């Protein structure tokens, strides 16, 4: 997965609409985001993660907290992400739940959380927050936790991957490199080997029982 274009509107500290054109950084797929404290680096991480999975990159930031407190009341809050997966480009648009002015009167109404994933081949887009998240996980091959640990490393979180238990690391890398079929083959071979070992031990036990049941007759003196 490689980000192409990220658009943030009334999101985090950004009151208006801003764009980050990752395409200008080349196609090598490795980016380093630097800046002073408070410059908005984490918000870019939050924007990408929210577009993909409907959650921020940090566990302490709920989706309801993502609307900018500096935004004009009529500015909509949303994130739009164009990203490349394989050789194809996909477009994601997602908004959190937030309060907005009603189209009529002075009341405030709740803008429901929503999402849409547009495919490059013209098929009908996927809509709905859960449905889009599921489709993204199938495309990228990672859930949010795995994505934040291996594809977007924020403020030393790579250390958590290094210190994770072997089983957890194996699961993450298995998802990244799509080695699931090999694991299934390994498990099948292990099961088949266990079955044949059981058959061998069963036959060996039967042979031993027959051998022990055979009693030699009395010795006879040979006549000369």
């Amino acid at each position: 997965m490689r980000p192409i274009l990220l658009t943030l509107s009334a999101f985090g500290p950004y009151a208006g609409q801003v764009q980050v054109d990752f395409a200008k950084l080349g196609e090598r797929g490795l980016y380093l985001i630097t800046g002073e404290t408070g410059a908005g680096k984490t918000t870019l991480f939050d924007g990408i993660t929210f577009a993909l999975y409907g959650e921020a990159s940090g566990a302490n930031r709920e989706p309801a907290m993502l609307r900018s407190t500096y935004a004009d009341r009529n500015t909509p809050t949303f994130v739009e992400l164009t990203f490349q997966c394989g050789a194809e480009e996909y477009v994601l648009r997602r908004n959190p739940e937030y309060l907005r002015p009603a189209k009529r009167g002075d009341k405030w109404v709740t803008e429901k959380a929503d999402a849409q994933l547009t495919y490059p081949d013209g098929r009908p887009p996927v809509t709905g927050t859960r449905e889009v998240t599921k489709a993204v996980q199938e495309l990228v091959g990672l859930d949010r936790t795995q994505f934040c640990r291996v594809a977007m490393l924020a403020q030393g979180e790579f250390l958590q991957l290094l210190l994770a238990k072997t089983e957890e690391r194996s699961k993450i890398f298995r998802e990244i490199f799509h080695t699931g079929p090999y694991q299934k083959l390994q498990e099948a071979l292990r099961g088949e080997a266990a079955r044949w070992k059981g058959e061998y031990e069963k036959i060996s036990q039967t042979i031993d029982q027959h051998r022990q049941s055979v009693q030699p007759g009395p010795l006879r003196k040979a006549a000369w």
Side-chain angles (χ1 to χ4, degrees), residues 98-117:
Y98 64 96
L99 291 175
R100 63 169 177 80
K103 295 181 179 179
R104 296 181 180 179
D106 297 329
K107 295 183 178 180
W108 291 78
V109 296
T110 300
E111 181 73 21
K112 297 294 184 181
D114 199 7
Q116 177 174 295
L117 170 63

Side-chain angles (χ1 to χ4, degrees), residues 42-89:
T42 302
T43 303
L44 299 182
F45 288 157
D46 284 345
I48 294 174
T49 310
F50 177 74
L52 292 169
Y53 301 104
E55 299 179 62
S57 61
N60 60 339
R61 293 183 295 281
E62 296 294 331
M65 302 167 56
L66 297 178
R67 175 167 171 81
S68 176
T69 57
Y70 308 106
D72 181 87
R73 54 186 288 176
N74 294 312
T75 302
T77 295
F78 68 87
V79 174
E80 186 170 286
L81 175 66
T82 302
F83 67 97
Q84 181 178 345
C85 192
E88 304 290 346
E89 289 189 7

Side-chain angles (χ1 to χ4, degrees), residues 166-185:
T166 301
E167 182 179 353
E168 185 177 358
R169 286 204 310 271
S170 298
K171 181 180 178 181
I172 293 173
F173 289 131
R174 190 160 54 243
E175 293 290 340
I176 295 173
F177 298 110
H178 304 288
T179 60
Y182 300 102
Q183 183 192 20
K184 292 181 180 179
L185 175 60

Side-chain angles (χ1 to χ4, degrees), residues 146-219:
Q146 294 167 342
F147 180 81
C148 290
R149 287 188 175 183
V150 300
M152 191 175 62
L153 311 177
Q155 299 179 2
E157 290 184 359
F158 183 59
L159 182 62
Q160 296 181 12
L161 174 63
L162 297 179
L163 298 179
K165 295 182 179 179
T166 301
E167 182 179 353
E168 185 177 358
R169 286 204 310 271
S170 298
K171 181 180 178 181
I172 293 173
F173 289 131
R174 190 160 54 243
E175 293 290 340
I176 295 173
F177 298 110
H178 304 288
T179 60
Y182 300 102
Q183 183 192 20
K184 292 181 180 179
L185 175 60
Q186 184 181 38
E187 293 173 351
L189 292 175
R190 186 183 295 115
E192 191 71 7
R195 185 178 71 83
W196 282 108
K197 181 180 179 181
E199 290 290 334
Y200 167 78
E201 292 176 348
K202 182 179 179 180
I203 294 173
S204 297
Q205 185 178 11
T206 301
I207 294 174
D208 286 340
Q209 289 174 350
H210 283 294
R211 180 176 56 82
Q212 293 173 8
S213 66
V214 174
Q215 299 295 331
L219 292 176

Side-chain angles (χ1 to χ4, degrees), residues 1 83 85 90 117 119 134-142 178:
M1 178 270 178
F83 67 97
C85 192
Y90 302 81
L117 170 63
Y119 291 96
K134 181 180 179 181
V136 166
Q137 289 183 179
E138 293 175 353
L139 272 176
V140 179
L142 300 170
H178 304 288

